[in-house]
Amino acid sequence: MTAEPLLLITDDDLLAQRWQDLAPSPLRARGIDGLDAWRAAGHRLVLVDLGCARGGTAPVWTRPAWQRNASGLAILAASSTPDDDEGLAVLNAGASGYCHSHAPADTLRQALDVIASGELWVGRALLSRLLRLVDTRLPRTGLADWATPLTEREREVAQLAAVGDSNLSIALALGITERTVKAHLKAVFEKLDLSDRLQLALRVHGVR
């Protein structure tokens, strides 16, 4: 359970009840107009039901209240019908995470903890798409810029992971087992002080 104050934004009473135990005494709002006051009070963590935006109105992430405040908040956007295009749009608009609104409570708590720590939370398919976008839009830096502490095999695994290849795809490409791929990735993350594949992609491309 996250210790940070949490703002729940949904007009679905059943969903609000489902989310109620994600944090101690979370505050609920039925729309995003309260984001201004939430940010002004020094709070950051928000769980938004994107279903509030449907029914013929503009998507919630295009509204002024969101655009004024998203950069100062840690927003987990939740959709009952998630898809990659919506996820990319929401993340591009400043959200820190994207998930299914009816994900298990433990998953939602983990997602909130991750975005509260300053990281991103997305599903595997969307993450792979993000990694491929990074790879197509940013030039890769030379190996010396990021790979010096890695072994040759760790470099190979890192490069494939950074463009969105799954563990299975990496294993088949390099003729090793998935278990070995996981071991190499663990070593890569530790040596480069990274926590996920998106950070790895950005490091390989010289962004951080």
Side-chain angles (χ1 to χ4, degrees):
M1 180 179 294
T2 180
E4 280 200 45
L6 174 63
L7 177 63
L8 306 176
I9 298 179
T10 181
D11 56 13
D12 184 327
D13 292 338
L14 291 177
L15 191 57
Q17 184 177 3
R18 181 184 179 92
W19 286 353
Q20 193 65 32
D21 293 332
L22 295 176
S25 303
L27 182 67
R28 180 191 174 187
R30 292 181 177 273
I32 65 169
D33 291 338
L35 289 178
D36 299 276
W38 191 249
R39 181 180 180 185
H43 303 316
R44 302 182 312 121
L45 200 56
V46 182
L47 176 55
V48 179
D49 170 21
L50 297 181
C52 292
R54 297 197 174 98
T57 58
V60 66
W61 60 88
T62 67
R63 298 178 187 176
W66 178 296
Q67 294 175 348
R68 284 194 305 270
N69 295 285
S71 62
L73 299 173
I75 299 175
L76 179 61
S79 173
S80 61
T81 56
D83 70 76
D84 288 354
D85 288 335
E86 181 182 66
L88 284 173
V90 172
L91 293 172
N92 191 52
S96 300
Y98 181 71
C99 66
H100 199 296
S101 57
H102 288 78
D106 286 346
T107 300
L108 292 174
R109 290 190 191 101
Q110 184 181 3
L112 290 168
D113 286 342
V114 166
I115 69 169
S117 70
E119 305 298 338
L120 288 177
W121 178 274
V122 295
R124 181 173 296 176
L126 181 54
L127 176 60
S128 293
R129 186 167 172 181
L130 285 169
L131 295 178
R132 286 187 169 85
L133 284 173
V134 169
D135 189 58
T136 57
R137 295 184 181 183
L138 295 174
R140 296 194 201 185
T141 61
L143 286 179
D145 293 328
W146 60 271
T148 302
L150 306 182
T151 67
E152 182 177 353
R153 180 62 87 188
E154 288 168 354
R155 293 172 186 173
E156 293 174 334
V157 170
Q159 287 177 310
L160 292 172
V163 297
D165 285 5
S166 67
N167 288 354
L168 177 59
S169 296
I170 296 171
L172 293 174
L174 299 180
I176 56 180
T177 66
E178 285 188 77
R179 183 175 180 179
T180 302
V181 171
K182 291 178 182 178
H184 285 316
L185 281 175
K186 184 175 184 293
V188 169
F189 291 153
E190 289 176 352
K191 290 180 179 180
L192 300 183
D193 192 23
L194 304 174
S195 59
D196 56 49
R197 291 182 185 225
L198 185 55
Q199 288 185 350
L200 176 61
L202 294 175
R203 178 67 61 82
V204 169
H205 290 84
V207 177
R208 55 177 299 171

